[in-house]
Amino acid sequence: MLSIIGIQSGALMSEFMKGSTGRFMGAQAKARGLSGDVKNRELKALLCGLDPKSGNALVTNAGNRHKAGWDCTFTAPMSVSVAWGVADPKARIKIETAHTAGVRAGIALLERYAFFTNHGQGRNKDLKNAEGGVVAVAFRHSTNRVGESSLHDHVLVANFSVDGRVLHFDTRNVSKANAAYAAEILAVQ
């Protein structure tokens, strides 16, 4: 199941994720040479609209006041989470692999259809899909807030496009991303 909330503060979100290991994902991340594990300072820079390597602005309104982006949380169904929590190592890896594939499929769909940029003003606005994709960071968690088994990934999508514009999100495509995620989870044998 996919839930999405806006992230207002990059500094606060990077503190929230401190202690977790994130990994880069998204077409724009790959194009920028961002891969592997993410350091906290890199996450904070990205969510503030800054290049994590150089510190240069990636969007016109970069800085602490920049709307950081979105937390797209992909949560396995409770039955899958419970099975994953009690599974032997081999079965656990199969479930994690399917979950990871589902998260990738969901983000790829959102990259293609849900994130867009404004071009023009007023009535002359031209909305375009975020060409070049997004920069995202995925954090895997194994329990919910009350300590129950809950396999889920927080995928933090940074709020900038390759051309330096802020992103907008079309919620009409959430159900499609949910279906893409679920298809991968259901494929576990």
Side-chain angles (χ1 to χ4, degrees):
M1 178 64 123
L2 171 61
S3 64
I4 300 171
I5 60 168
I7 305 168
Q8 296 305 313
S9 169
L12 287 176
M13 184 53 80
S14 64
E15 276 302 307
F16 174 70
M17 292 299 168
K18 207 172 195 174
S20 300
T21 301
R23 62 190 184 288
F24 283 109
M25 60 186 315
Q28 191 184 155
K30 186 175 182 182
R32 291 183 182 277
L34 302 172
S35 63
D37 291 347
V38 180
K39 294 174 181 64
N40 191 267
R41 66 177 171 72
E42 293 173 317
L43 176 63
K44 184 177 177 183
L46 285 170
L47 294 178
C48 288
L50 303 170
D51 185 296
K53 294 177 181 177
S54 68
N56 295 333
L58 296 172
V59 65
T60 54
N61 63 348
N64 289 332
R65 296 175 90 81
H66 171 70
K67 180 187 180 221
W70 295 266
D71 178 358
C72 302
T73 304
F74 291 86
T75 305
M78 186 55 82
S79 59
V80 173
S81 288
V82 170
W84 172 78
V86 298
D88 63 68
K90 187 176 177 183
R92 197 174 173 111
I93 289 170
K94 275 181 128 174
I95 294 169
E96 286 179 10
T97 299
H99 174 75
T100 299
V103 170
R104 286 189 180 147
I107 287 297
L109 192 140
L110 293 176
E111 270 188 310
R112 187 163 182 186
Y113 299 111
F115 288 104
F116 62 94
T117 55
N118 279 338
H119 298 260
Q121 295 179 354
R123 290 184 175 189
N124 299 320
K125 281 185 184 173
D126 182 19
L127 304 177
K128 296 184 180 181
N129 282 64
E131 295 175 19
V134 300
V135 174
V137 179
F139 291 89
R140 171 87 25 102
H141 291 226
S142 60
T143 59
N144 61 23
R145 290 187 180 123
V146 295
E148 300 167 330
S149 182
S150 177
L151 176 61
H152 64 282
D153 281 20
H154 290 271
V155 182
L156 310 182
V157 178
N159 185 17
F160 55 83
S161 64
V162 292
D163 64 358
R165 297 173 192 267
V166 295
L167 293 173
H168 300 277
F169 185 76
D170 183 352
T171 59
R172 293 175 295 181
N173 292 290
V174 171
S175 60
K176 293 176 188 173
N178 259 328
Y181 171 77
E184 296 295 336
I185 286 291
L186 294 173
V188 175
Q189 302 265 347

